[in-house]
Amino acid sequence: MCTNTFNDDSTSTTKVSIVLLFWGILGVIVMKTPLVDAQISGSIQKCENEGEAVFVPQISDNPCITCFCRAGAVECRREKCESLEGCYMILFDYLLSGHRKCCEVCKGCTVDGEYFSSNSLWTDKADPCTTYSCKAGVATRTTTKCYAPCANPVPVPGKCCPVCQSCQYDGKTYNEGDVFPLSTDLCTKCSCKNGTVSCEKETCPVLNCPKNVIWQPPGSCCKVCKGQRRIFNLPGGKCFFQYKIYKSGETFRPGNCTSCLCVDGTFICDRETCPPLPCPLEKTVQRENSCCRVCPDKQTCDYKNRTYMHEQQWRPNVCTACSCDDGSTRCHVQNCRNSVWCPSGYRLKYVDGECCPRCTEAKGVCTVFGDPHYRTFDGRIYNFQGPCKYLLAEDTVAKSFSIRVRNDARTSPWFTWTRMVTVFLGNVKIGLHQKMNVKVNRRRVKLPYTNHAEFSVVRDGQSVKVMTAIGLKVIWDGDSFVEVTIPSRYKQKMRGLCGNYNGISTDDLMGKDDHMYLDGENFGNTWRVGSKAACTIEENVQKTEPPCKSDSSKRKRAKRECSHLLASVFSRCRRKVDVRQYYRSCIADMCECPDDKQCACEAVKAYAHRCINEGVELTWNDQRFCPEHCPEGAIYRQCTKRCMRTCEERDQKALCKTKCSPGCACPGNRLLHNNKCIKPRQCPKRR
């Protein structure tokens, strides 16, 4: 004997001895009224063949109960019937047939000789885009409408709809197996499978129930029937729809978008599938003689004599983005930050196609000016009056270039200037000499000069400019000013008087012997090249007191000429670039300067170049601060494309520069000969 509680559930099992006692007494009552709980007792019936069906009198007679052998004991299970809510084609004769059935069924569909139960969905074997659904004896046939929430969907062999190569939609990422509707169309379902998204428009089945019981649940795509109805299957292959009987082969239209045909007791209805809606349902309209609701036509936009479609986007300029919104033009202007700051070693740069400038790594610039003063690639300024040849800058890795300078004493043994610059590019030697004379491999050349696109040397205003294919640029004013510019890719690959270019100015006085020096004189001497025979003064010459200390007129002249650095033309630059070091260098140069020479020009020019490199716009006039002595008869112009043609170059074009620049030029068709502008007929006869 044992005691147990019986729970009538589809998954519950009951020991046969208990079931016998329970059903033997209350079998008829339970078939009509479910029993929630009952305390019963009895014995367990044994069995031998595992899994074998067991017939139990008065129990197995009920078609809803199946008994079988499990673990040596008889267990019985009650079948659970599906809900038939909404079915108006429940078949009476299904239960009254020769074989007793447990559950009532909603009428299914027979299509092409194959039976499908109600609520079945299947795809045509020959066409993956043709789908069927069976609902209460009506088979609805539709053509799938695909929707791709991406620009370039990928077709899949054997599938109707293409897929997008990610599970992202409307800014959200979905997980594998997720199914979600479009935000504007509940009937378009998308699914994430194998990392891709595919979307299909759901077509609602044709409902076989009276119109007064059809309703649409909230948040649902399709309408459904409410309630139930039981009928007998009609003989002769006839079909029953709502309240009317149709013969096999007879057609009718239950709506504008649907056409039905009765085929041997099953209605096969073709229903047009509407495309996905890109707008909310409440904003759609129904066109006359149209099956599908559509979004209303959007208005176009007129902007500066051009017409744009709804949702079309365009950019009038790099800072403005516009779009058309149903006849209204909406433009957004990008605002750059009022104060854009870049860290040291970076510069603001405008990039094509972008509105606001960005901070980009600046090129390295080293400057030599005056008596001589050096500003390294990393921005350190120091003085070095060495009178010999020195290594100014050199690529230590690829050895792609090397630059040397030669200093010379002009008025005193301790007052030196840069006399010439030599640039080595592989096997090519470019010499930049006084008065802007240029030699290539020891032979004097005329400007402009080009060497197989590897480098070019041009006259640019009051300077000579060397430009190379590797990005190296050297400016020489023909007197003592030198500016070397290199791309940022040479960072941490340089050595020489211009420093190591590593972004740190405090270690720029690292000598050739890897010793850190405290002053420019000892540091500079480590970079001397060549023999001492190249030096212009002897060592250990006693230095005298600067003339400015004892000569008040020189002192006044120095302050007057150097005051150009404090002029209004540099007011914007002084907020960004400290002028004090340049002013002190200018005073020192002027104190040693001969009365017939303008020595302040070098410091002013160096400061102006520094301002331009820092992105400060200047109304800079070299001729105002550093007047150029033009040949006799020549005219200085702030902007000219003319070149100083000589008698030997009389057949060349006068306009030889693509962009204008400051410089001297002979007026009219006059030519330069012996540093004087003369008429062509005065030129010596050609040999």
Side-chain angles (χ1 to χ4, degrees):
M1 298 295 292
C2 68
T3 303
N4 202 347
T5 301
F6 178 79
N7 186 6
D8 187 13
D9 193 291
S10 62
T11 59
S12 64
T13 56
T14 308
K15 299 300 182 181
V16 68
S17 59
I18 300 176
V19 175
L20 279 172
L21 177 62
F22 176 73
W23 289 101
I25 300 175
L26 300 175
V28 177
I29 298 175
V30 173
M31 290 176 65
K32 294 182 178 180
T33 306
L35 184 65
V36 178
D37 284 312
Q39 291 289 338
I40 56 178
S41 61
S43 59
I44 299 174
Q45 180 173 324
K46 302 296 183 179
C47 61
E48 296 180 355
N49 300 324
E50 183 71 16
E52 183 180 49
V54 178
F55 179 81
V56 181
Q58 298 182 356
I59 300 302
S60 298
D61 293 339
N62 191 317
C64 295
I65 299 178
T66 302
C67 298
F68 52 91
C69 182
R70 182 177 179 181
V74 177
E75 293 185 5
C76 298
R77 180 169 295 171
R78 182 182 179 86
E79 182 179 349
K80 185 178 181 180
C81 298
E82 294 183 1
S83 172
L84 299 180
E85 171 62 26
C87 179
Y88 275 69
M89 294 289 287
I90 301 174
L91 298 178
F92 269 130
D93 48 349
Y94 186 76
L95 294 178
L96 298 178
S97 60
H99 300 285
R100 295 184 61 193
K101 306 292 183 182
C102 171
C103 300
E104 295 180 303
V105 296
C106 189
K107 183 177 181 179
C109 306
T110 301
V111 179
D112 295 333
E114 187 175 354
Y115 178 79
F116 300 91
S117 60
S118 183
N119 295 325
S120 295
L121 298 173
W122 71 98
T123 302
D124 191 283
K125 297 177 181 178
D127 183 6
C129 290
T130 299
T131 60
Y132 291 83
S133 64
C134 177
K135 189 77 172 179
V138 178
T140 304
R141 179 168 55 195
T142 60
T143 300
T144 302
K145 293 289 185 180
C146 302
Y147 172 76
C150 60
N152 299 302
V154 179
V156 179
K159 300 292 185 180
C160 177
C161 295
V163 299
C164 298
Q165 297 287 40
S166 67
C167 284
Q168 290 185 340
Y169 170 71
D170 201 18
K172 182 178 179 181
T173 300
Y174 291 88
N175 297 321
E176 181 72 17
D178 285 352
V179 178
F180 56 94
L182 293 186
S183 57
T184 57
D185 192 348
L186 291 175
C187 291
T188 300
K189 296 292 192 297
C190 300
S191 60
C192 174
K193 186 176 181 180
N194 298 326
T196 62
V197 167
S198 61
C199 302
E200 296 182 6
K201 175 81 172 186
E202 180 181 354
T203 301
C204 297
V206 177
L207 297 178
N208 193 357
C209 62
K211 294 182 179 179
N212 62 331
V213 297
I214 297 176
W215 73 294
Q216 186 164 12
S220 174
C221 166
C222 298
K223 295 180 180 180
V224 297
C225 299
K226 190 173 184 179
Q228 296 177 340
R229 182 181 62 187
R230 290 168 175 78
I231 64 169
F232 285 98
N233 234 345
L234 298 176
K238 297 179 180 179
C239 302
F240 187 85
F241 186 81
Q242 295 182 352
Y243 294 111
K244 190 174 179 181
I245 297 175
Y246 296 86
K247 297 179 181 179
S248 181
E250 190 174 356
T251 62
F252 78 102
R253 297 183 65 88
N256 290 334
C257 301
T258 307
S259 174
C260 297
L261 171 66
C262 177
V263 180
D264 294 332
T266 297
F267 268 120
I268 299 178
C269 299
D270 289 298
R271 168 166 282 185
E272 182 178 344
T273 305
C274 297
L277 295 172
C279 61
L281 182 63
E282 60 271 15
K283 292 185 179 182
T284 60
V285 294
Q286 186 82 41
R287 303 288 189 197
E288 187 177 356
N289 298 324
S290 173
C291 294
C292 302
R293 300 186 68 85
V294 295
C295 297
D297 295 334
K298 299 294 184 179
Q299 301 297 316
T300 59
C301 300
D302 292 327
Y303 181 86
K304 292 185 177 182
N305 299 323
R306 291 192 63 180
T307 300
Y308 296 91
M309 304 303 293
H310 171 66
E311 292 187 345
Q312 187 175 355
Q313 299 179 351
W314 69 96
R315 298 187 74 93
N317 53 64
V318 294
C319 293
T320 307
C322 298
S323 62
C324 179
D325 183 12
D326 196 13
S328 299
T329 299
R330 306 183 186 278
C331 294
H332 171 72
V333 179
Q334 183 177 354
N335 294 319
C336 303
R337 290 178 292 175
N338 294 331
S339 177
V340 182
W341 174 86
C342 290
S344 177
Y346 287 79
R347 300 287 182 272
L348 280 178
K349 182 179 180 180
Y350 282 92
V351 179
D352 291 341
E354 296 185 10
C355 173
C356 299
R358 62 169 68 173
C359 290
T360 58
E361 195 166 19
K363 296 180 179 180
V365 180
C366 175
T367 310
V368 184
F369 62 97
D371 176 27
H373 314 287
Y374 297 82
R375 184 184 182 275
T376 66
F377 290 124
D378 292 326
R380 180 163 183 168
I381 295 180
Y382 66 94
N383 302 324
F384 172 54
Q385 282 79 32
C388 306
K389 290 182 181 179
Y390 302 94
L391 179 65
L392 182 64
E394 183 178 65
D395 170 18
T396 62
V397 178
K399 306 294 183 181
S400 58
F401 71 90
S402 178
I403 303 173
R404 299 181 182 183
V405 291
R406 181 168 184 170
N407 295 347
D408 192 7
R410 296 191 177 182
T411 59
S412 67
W414 48 85
F415 186 59
T416 62
W417 298 75
T418 303
R419 178 182 173 184
M420 67 172 291
V421 181
T422 305
V423 181
F424 294 92
L425 293 170
N427 297 324
V428 179
K429 176 182 178 182
I430 306 171
L432 307 178
H433 298 264
Q434 291 293 300
K435 299 181 180 179
M436 290 188 280
N437 292 318
V438 178
K439 291 183 180 181
V440 177
N441 291 334
R442 302 183 182 274
R443 296 184 63 180
R444 185 172 176 178
V445 296
K446 296 177 182 180
L447 303 184
Y449 179 86
T450 303
N451 183 359
H452 305 296
E454 293 181 4
F455 71 91
S456 62
V457 187
V458 297
R459 175 77 180 268
D460 188 10
Q462 299 186 57
S463 303
V464 170
K465 185 184 295 183
V466 180
M467 295 174 291
T468 70
I470 61 176
L472 167 70
K473 183 175 71 174
V474 180
I475 295 176
W476 166 248
D477 72 344
D479 188 14
S480 60
F481 175 84
V482 186
E483 183 180 87
V484 178
T485 304
I486 57 176
S488 59
R489 67 174 178 272
Y490 285 102
K491 231 174 187 181
Q492 298 183 355
K493 300 176 183 178
M494 299 301 299
R495 68 172 189 164
L497 295 177
C498 285
N500 53 19
Y501 190 30
N502 63 353
I504 305 172
S505 61
T506 55
D507 66 353
D508 277 350
L509 298 187
M510 178 74 72
K512 185 178 181 180
D513 55 2
D514 293 331
H515 178 76
M516 185 66 69
Y517 289 88
L518 301 178
D519 61 273
E521 293 296 327
N522 291 319
F523 161 73
N525 284 324
T526 67
W527 293 108
R528 182 171 64 84
V529 293
S531 63
K532 290 185 178 181
C535 301
T536 57
I537 60 174
E538 299 178 0
E539 296 180 355
N540 302 321
V541 177
Q542 185 176 1
K543 189 173 182 179
T544 61
E545 187 178 78
C548 279
K549 287 192 175 182
S550 58
D551 191 336
S552 60
S553 61
K554 277 189 173 290
R555 187 164 58 250
K556 290 179 180 178
R557 181 188 176 220
K559 291 183 179 180
R560 181 179 68 250
E561 298 298 336
C562 294
S563 65
H564 291 313
L565 289 166
L566 308 178
S568 60
V569 69
F570 294 119
S571 59
R572 292 180 60 192
C573 184
R574 287 196 294 270
R575 301 172 193 165
K576 193 169 185 179
V577 180
D578 191 354
V579 75
R580 290 175 294 181
Q581 290 178 306
Y582 294 89
Y583 185 78
R584 286 194 294 266
S585 298
C586 181
I587 293 293
D589 294 346
M590 285 299 301
C591 283
E592 297 283 356
C593 188
D595 293 338
D596 61 346
K597 188 172 178 63
Q598 176 53 273
C599 300
C601 177
E602 298 290 334
V604 176
K605 186 185 298 184
Y607 188 68
H609 278 248
R610 174 77 190 286
C611 296
I612 294 172
N613 288 331
E614 290 292 334
V616 181
E617 294 184 3
L618 293 179
T619 308
W620 165 246
N621 186 339
D622 283 9
Q623 187 67 8
R624 176 184 173 189
F625 297 105
C626 306
E628 180 178 357
H629 299 287
C630 294
E632 183 180 346
I635 301 173
Y636 179 85
R637 289 189 175 92
Q638 182 63 27
C639 182
T640 180
K641 294 184 179 180
R642 299 179 65 87
C643 294
M644 295 282 284
R645 292 186 301 159
T646 64
C647 287
E648 291 79 9
E649 300 167 337
R650 68 186 75 180
D651 296 330
Q652 296 182 9
K653 294 181 179 180
L655 302 179
C656 64
K657 294 183 286 188
T658 56
K659 293 194 296 186
C660 69
S661 60
C664 299
C666 290
N669 63 347
R670 292 177 178 257
L671 303 171
L672 182 66
H673 181 67
N674 292 335
N675 206 34
K676 181 180 179 180
C677 292
I678 62 175
K679 295 179 180 180
R681 67 173 182 267
Q682 295 175 317
C683 288
K685 293 183 179 181
R686 295 179 176 176
R687 295 178 180 178

